[in-house]
Amino acid sequence: MFPALIALWFGTGLVGALLPAAGEVPGDDVAIRLIGTAIHYDILLPATPEARAKLAFAGMAGVPIDAPGAEWILVGWGARDFYTATGTYADMRPGPVWRAVTGDHSVLRVEVLGALDTADLPEVRLSAAQFTRLLGAVAGTRSGPVVPGAGFTATDAFFEADGRFHLNRTCNVWVGEMLRAAGLRFGRWTPTPQAVRLHG
């Protein structure tokens, strides 16, 4: 029974990816990237003055948003216990995994990165207005202060975020929510990385 439910969940996610919500024609002013693993996708934003200003709250928490060498700002959303404690697959533990499956508080991660080879990463192009809306949606995800002691690098931080994480609203669903909030056509429900890639 359980394998059948998992198969149904994956299959429904693929259908959701193929049914895009109504949206605008993509612009051509700004290019963002999607960067993912086998289970999780983040959004890579170019570190423009507008992006730095909109995410200034991260700078106040110690993320070097205004660093001269910053070229990209990585943003992602996920289950608090799992996301803040699982830097690699080797860090996975049953407790955080179970809470992610059954429901957990959420966090927003912000990290600053320098030059990257983005040639193999999915690209999404936006108009200036769409990029502004995307930044507003990302910043609006934060609901509270920085999570003390949470972080994987010297240039990242986690923040309390809106909404609960569960199987129907995963990190990959959040990516779709952000892109639709920008005004783009994107899958109505993209719970898995496969669904995100299929839409892309």
Side-chain angles (χ1 to χ4, degrees):
M1 184 67 177
F2 183 72
L5 290 175
I6 293 297
L8 177 63
W9 182 74
F10 269 95
T12 305
L14 297 180
V15 172
L18 293 171
L19 296 174
E24 305 166 354
V25 175
D28 200 30
D29 299 315
V30 183
I32 67 170
R33 301 295 197 282
L34 303 180
I35 182 169
T37 66
I39 61 174
H40 174 93
Y41 260 99
D42 292 314
I43 301 173
L44 277 175
L45 306 168
T48 64
E50 183 183 10
R52 295 174 195 246
K54 199 66 178 180
L55 301 174
F57 66 84
M60 291 186 282
V63 179
I65 289 289
D66 294 320
E71 294 192 18
W72 297 95
I73 302 172
L74 179 146
V75 292
W77 181 90
R80 175 172 173 150
D81 283 359
F82 183 85
Y83 199 9
T84 60
T86 312
T88 67
Y89 293 125
D91 299 325
M92 294 178 70
R93 298 292 181 269
V97 171
W98 176 249
R99 284 188 288 277
V101 170
T102 58
D104 194 5
H105 296 291
S106 64
V107 288
L108 177 72
R109 181 174 181 238
V110 181
E111 181 176 17
V112 169
L113 301 168
L116 295 174
D117 181 1
T118 61
D120 294 330
L121 300 179
E123 179 185 78
V124 180
R125 301 198 70 86
L126 304 93
S127 69
Q130 290 165 345
F131 186 59
T132 296
R133 290 196 293 265
L134 174 63
L135 294 176
V138 169
T141 298
R142 181 183 69 105
S143 66
V146 67
V147 178
F152 301 132
T153 71
T155 62
D156 80 332
F158 286 88
F159 299 86
E160 302 288 352
D162 275 334
R164 288 182 65 79
F165 181 102
H166 47 74
L167 282 181
N168 288 333
R169 190 173 186 239
T170 66
C171 49
N172 305 300
V173 169
W174 177 84
V175 168
E177 290 176 354
M178 295 300 100
L179 295 177
R180 291 193 302 273
L184 300 179
R185 287 174 56 84
F186 202 78
R188 293 175 184 272
W189 189 57
T190 53
T192 66
Q194 292 82 6
V196 172
R197 288 195 292 270
L198 179 63
H199 183 88

